[in-house]
Amino acid sequence: MKNFFPIIILFLFAKIAFATHMRAGEITYEYKSGLTYKITIVTYTFTPSPADRPSYDISWGDGTTSTINRNEKINMPDEISRNTYEGEHTYPGPDTYVISLEDPNRNGGILNIPESVNVPFYIQTILVINPFLGTNSSPVLLNPPIDNGCVGVPFIHNPGAYDINSDSISYKLINCKGEGGLDIPLYSFPFASNSLSINPITGDLLWDSPTIIGEYNVAILIQEWRHGQLIGSITRDMQISITTCNNHPPVIDEINDTCVLAGTLLKFTVKAKDPDIGDVVTLTATGGPLLLTNNPASFQSASHLDSVSSIFSWQTNCDHVKQQPYQMTFRAMDNGTPVHLIDIESVQITIIAPAPENLIATPVGNNIQLTWNQSPCQNAIGYKIYRRNGFYGYVSENCVTGVPAYTGYVQIANVGGVSSTSFTDTNNGIGLVHGIDYCYMIIAYFSDGAESYASNETCTTLIKNIPIITNVSINNTDAINGSVFIAWSKPTVLDTIQIPGPFKYFIYRSPDFLGNNLVLIDSLEGLNDTTFVDTLINTVATPWSYRIELWNNTYNNRYLIGFTQKASSIFLTLTPSDNQLLLKFLPVVPWINDTFIVYRQNFSTLVFDSIGYSYTSEYTDKNLANGTNYCYKIKSIGNYFAPGLIDPIINYSQETCGSPIDQTPPCPPHLFVIPDCEKIENLLVWSNKNDSCANDIISYNIYYSPVEGNGVELIKSINAENDTAFLHQNIMSIAGCYYVTAVDSFLNESIAGNTVCLDIDSCDIYKLPNVFTPNGDGVNDYFIPFPYHFVEKIYLQIFNRWGQIVYTTENPDINWNGKDKFSNLDCSDGVYFYVCDVYEIRLAGLKKRTINGSIHLYRNK
């Protein structure tokens, strides 16, 4: 017995010692081959603690666990040890795996983790094995998760994540995790005098500023993204120790993010200064550029009194090109006491490939041949080809890769292989259009999605050796005597030796937009007769499209020289709505129409006057009178963007007429419902702004269903001039769903407004007291419920302490007088138990809710 107390003391000491152990850590992984990955765990522990871990059981996330051994332990200042554990694991197949570690011995005294001595330490890393996304290794974290700060001084930290696969990295603060990977109960972020935040792009954690001395833990979720998909994540649990000091941190001069053309030297000076005279400032750096095997960057750590500087230097090359920027983190630390304070400056550096040079465009028949010099970056995997009609004049802007969409250029092809230096634009096999000024730019692209600067812009047109159609314009609108004017530009480059002539144009027509049913309607002799009027056709009901063929008409040597693209007339349609007409006008032509002028017939002069214009193929004429007939036609203005052709190209549509009519329903009302539990009624109030829909609302329809999910029914129509409110009475319960619609003078009904559903939870629900005194004094003599609403019935059983039933009822008011229901004798004082099934009229219908409890019965007077 004499050894009992020493054993207890030893046990308690061991428990405390083991509970002041784990401070910070993270898990990373490296792809090896096939489905095999190497896992690295790094933890930071209290050096004197007996809770040393020579090995760990790790959960691989596939239902298996393994013991992996520690391969390195480094004792650091401030009694902190850095422990490294490594192991390999082969996974069964593609999937998402959560690799995790749980240690029961988180250190005690962490201010933002209540009773941290009893809270396990948990970290995890997510590994995504997806063959469609390629293999992956997690980022490595270059800066340790143990740091120090001072009360009242902004604290800054950066994990220094570097991803060898060039994936995108994002950061966010999350709750620290405890047992089973769940959020630690009552965990809170460290309190700050201003704010605690992390930059989602750079990973700079800023705590501005600590207010209380002590140790704090925060967790940083570091996520990897590839092609917009999450490919993995690391959860780092880090510890920050805050103390008091009169020191001030050093300050690093701001360094701007930058872009560098691959092959050039990037060089800049990093400077830091300490506001406290006499402090020694040490400048260090971490980042991906320093870890490269091919032409790594250099930065010499430096220390100096008061201020310090050092030069960052990087001779870049094409192997450094990648879509995501490299990040460098520069760290300035003073030698102040009791804490060395720091400042961090994070810099993003993007390495961009040079543009392909000497892009040349050469017309060949109906196609254009492109050639260019091979990219100097041999790690490029191909080229992207872009085209637009007409010269833009784009010159690559600094740090802007690829071809911006605002230039109007559209990608038309990919050419695989860095050594491929030519492409023939056939317009997907249908040939290019004569008369268009085609312009091109190209870029080189890389396996991770990186793109070079854009090439020079080069333009050309097809050789004008065939006719080019320019006009299909309605001369006269009539169902029988309609006419269309057609014109074209003659070829100007003909080999008269090979094609001696004479020449003949053949004119083809089709009653549609696309020329699907072309028939020969006429012909013209010679090259110079380039206009034709097509008559006696219906220009009211259909568009007309045309194609012109040019033939060599030498006797016994007739053959087709070439033909124009198809071109259609403008066909105007009207869609009526309330006080307006929507005009749609669709020509299908090879030239570019950039402006459409809208004409409406004047009622007095019968002349078509211009009323507006559009840059698209639609126009809405508003503020019209319903039922009035309005007539319109359209003039198009366009061009080919090529020399030697008529500019501008003017064409007209047919004339067409129509009347506005109100087919537009009003806007849906917005509903609010205010319940009255005592009166069992609901007040419906709605607002209805119809500026954009209608201004002639005459009534509102109110729809209701007592049960959610059941069909609604119309319960009331209200004159809009009288009210925008309705009191729904004579209902069994306030529970139900409502919506309101608006009806205009043409009986157009709006769509349903917002649906509002009420349940009885906002009212007094059925509850029972836990004591009553049936002693005949007129006060609390009966066991009855508290005030309640919307209960249809109950089934109550009351039991004594031996489980015998003493009272039952289906009456919601109960009214038990304390007598045994079967013997009618007074029940003895004491505790009784009940089970009560309550049937409530709820939004989901009549629903049973079971409540259990106890009753104290007292008769003392």
Side-chain angles (χ1 to χ4, degrees), residues 497-502 551-560:
I497 297 176
Q498 297 293 325
I499 311 172
W551 285 69
N552 185 77
N553 204 33
T554 305
Y555 180 71
N556 290 332
N557 190 24
R558 295 184 176 89
Y559 57 87
L560 177 65

Side-chain angles (χ1 to χ4, degrees), residues 519-542:
V519 294
L520 179 64
I521 60 169
D522 212 332
S523 62
L524 298 174
E525 300 286 346
L527 282 177
N528 296 323
D529 193 353
T530 58
T531 63
F532 178 79
V533 177
D534 189 13
T535 59
L536 300 178
I537 57 175
N538 183 353
T539 54
V540 174
T542 182

Side-chain angles (χ1 to χ4, degrees), residues 264-468:
T264 60
L265 174 66
L266 174 63
K267 194 172 185 178
F268 56 83
T269 301
V270 183
K271 299 179 181 180
K273 184 176 181 180
D274 197 293
D276 300 317
I277 297 175
D279 279 0
V280 175
V281 185
T282 300
L283 193 60
T284 59
T286 57
L290 302 173
L291 304 177
L292 298 172
T293 56
N294 182 355
N295 273 29
S298 64
F299 184 82
Q300 186 68 43
S301 298
S303 297
H304 198 271
L305 190 67
D306 296 334
S307 64
V308 65
S309 66
S310 188
I311 295 175
F312 175 84
S313 180
W314 188 12
Q315 178 58 57
T316 64
N317 60 39
C318 283
D319 288 340
H320 301 150
V321 172
K322 66 174 187 174
Q323 185 178 33
Q324 298 300 321
Y326 295 86
Q327 180 165 306
M328 283 298 304
T329 301
F330 298 98
R331 186 172 187 262
M333 181 177 67
D334 67 16
N335 66 337
T337 57
V339 173
H340 300 335
L341 295 181
I342 68 168
D343 185 29
I344 285 177
E345 183 75 11
S346 296
V347 181
Q348 306 274 323
I349 303 171
T350 304
I351 309 300
I352 300 176
E357 295 183 342
N358 197 30
L359 175 64
I360 298 173
T362 305
V364 180
N366 287 342
N367 307 319
I368 292 177
Q369 177 79 36
L370 300 176
T371 59
W372 59 90
N373 294 349
Q374 181 174 316
S375 170
C377 290
Q378 296 303 300
N379 51 331
I381 63 172
Y383 304 91
K384 295 180 182 180
I385 316 296
Y386 291 82
R387 183 184 73 199
R388 65 162 272 150
N389 297 341
F391 182 72
Y392 184 87
Y394 177 73
V395 177
S396 291
E397 304 169 40
N398 187 41
C399 298
V400 179
T401 61
V403 178
Y406 68 77
T407 62
Y409 273 88
V410 176
Q411 184 182 344
I412 61 170
N414 273 1
V415 176
V418 68
S419 60
S420 300
T421 57
S422 65
F423 171 75
T424 300
D425 183 9
T426 66
N427 199 23
N428 293 321
I430 64 175
L432 296 166
V433 177
H434 283 75
I436 299 291
D437 189 22
Y438 289 105
C439 297
Y440 298 87
M441 286 194 288
I442 67 169
I443 61 167
Y445 68 96
F446 298 77
S447 58
D448 72 334
E451 296 179 337
S452 73
Y453 284 122
S455 72
N456 60 294
E457 188 175 8
T458 186
C459 303
T460 191
T461 60
L462 298 180
I463 296 172
K464 194 180 176 186
N465 56 4
I466 62 172
I468 298 172

Side-chain angles (χ1 to χ4, degrees), residues 553-819:
N553 204 33
T554 305
Y555 180 71
N556 290 332
N557 190 24
R558 295 184 176 89
Y559 57 87
L560 177 65
I561 299 171
F563 50 83
T564 68
Q565 295 285 331
K566 302 169 188 175
S568 80
S569 61
I570 308 169
F571 191 71
L572 172 62
T573 61
L574 306 180
T575 302
S577 60
D578 186 21
N579 300 123
Q580 62 185 30
L581 289 165
L582 173 63
L583 286 67
K584 292 187 177 182
F585 26 92
L586 182 65
V588 179
V589 295
W591 61 86
I592 305 299
N593 285 319
D594 51 42
T595 307
F596 297 92
I597 309 298
V598 180
Y599 292 86
R600 186 176 68 203
Q601 191 176 42
N602 187 293
F603 291 133
S604 300
T605 65
L606 301 183
V607 173
F608 281 85
D609 297 327
S610 170
I611 62 168
Y613 62 91
S614 175
Y615 297 124
T616 67
S617 57
E618 290 187 2
Y619 179 86
T620 301
D621 193 11
K622 300 179 180 180
N623 301 316
L624 305 177
N626 287 338
T628 301
N629 198 46
Y630 298 88
C631 297
Y632 301 86
K633 67 178 179 180
I634 303 296
K635 179 174 78 172
S636 66
I637 303 174
N639 55 53
Y640 272 109
F641 297 102
L645 294 168
I646 184 174
D647 187 5
I649 298 173
I650 305 294
N651 288 285
Y652 288 89
S653 74
Q654 91 283 15
E655 301 168 8
T656 191
C657 304
S659 302
I661 185 172
D662 187 357
Q663 296 176 331
T664 303
C667 293
H670 189 78
L671 175 65
F672 304 88
V673 181
I674 305 169
D676 189 323
C677 301
E678 300 298 329
K679 295 181 180 179
I680 314 180
E681 59 189 27
N682 292 320
L683 176 62
L684 282 67
V685 180
W686 58 91
S687 60
N688 194 212
K689 294 182 179 180
N690 268 281
D691 298 341
S692 60
C693 302
N695 56 10
D696 59 342
I697 295 174
I698 61 170
S699 64
Y700 296 101
N701 289 337
I702 301 168
Y703 294 87
Y704 165 72
S705 174
V707 179
E708 187 176 26
N710 285 8
V712 297
E713 62 177 3
L714 177 66
I715 60 171
K716 188 71 174 180
S717 290
I718 293 180
N719 191 314
E721 295 181 358
N722 296 334
D723 214 345
T724 55
F726 171 68
L727 185 61
H728 193 196
Q729 299 174 304
N730 301 318
I731 50 181
M732 295 292 295
S733 170
I734 66 158
C737 293
Y738 300 87
Y739 66 78
V740 179
T741 63
V743 180
D744 68 15
S745 59
F746 285 82
L747 302 183
N748 297 306
E749 184 175 13
S750 75
I751 62 173
N754 61 306
T755 298
V756 177
C757 293
L758 303 176
D759 213 336
I760 66 173
D761 299 296
S762 60
C763 302
D764 293 325
I765 63 172
Y766 196 82
K767 293 185 292 185
L768 299 177
N770 58 10
V771 64
F772 83 116
T773 58
N775 53 17
D777 63 357
V779 179
N780 201 23
D781 284 335
Y782 292 90
F783 179 58
I784 60 176
F786 291 106
Y788 65 89
H789 298 95
F790 317 123
V791 175
E792 183 174 282
K793 64 179 181 178
I794 68 167
Y795 180 65
L796 172 70
Q797 292 179 303
I798 300 177
F799 304 85
N800 61 22
R801 70 184 63 185
W802 296 281
Q804 297 167 331
I805 296 176
V806 298
Y807 186 76
T808 62
T809 185
E810 294 184 3
N811 180 4
D813 293 330
I814 304 176
N815 289 319
W816 182 39
N817 60 4
K819 294 182 180 293

Side-chain angles (χ1 to χ4, degrees), residues 113-143:
I113 300 179
E115 298 183 5
S116 62
V117 70
N118 298 317
V119 176
F121 178 88
Y122 177 93
I123 50 176
Q124 70 176 36
T125 288
I126 295 178
L127 165 64
V128 177
I129 301 179
N130 184 337
F132 298 103
L133 294 175
T135 59
N136 184 49
S137 295
S138 73
V140 293
L141 308 184
L142 303 177
N143 295 323

Side-chain angles (χ1 to χ4, degrees), residues 222-235:
I222 302 163
Q223 295 178 299
E224 280 185 280
W225 306 86
R226 184 178 296 176
H227 309 311
Q229 296 189 49
L230 182 66
I231 197 171
S233 68
I234 300 170
T235 298

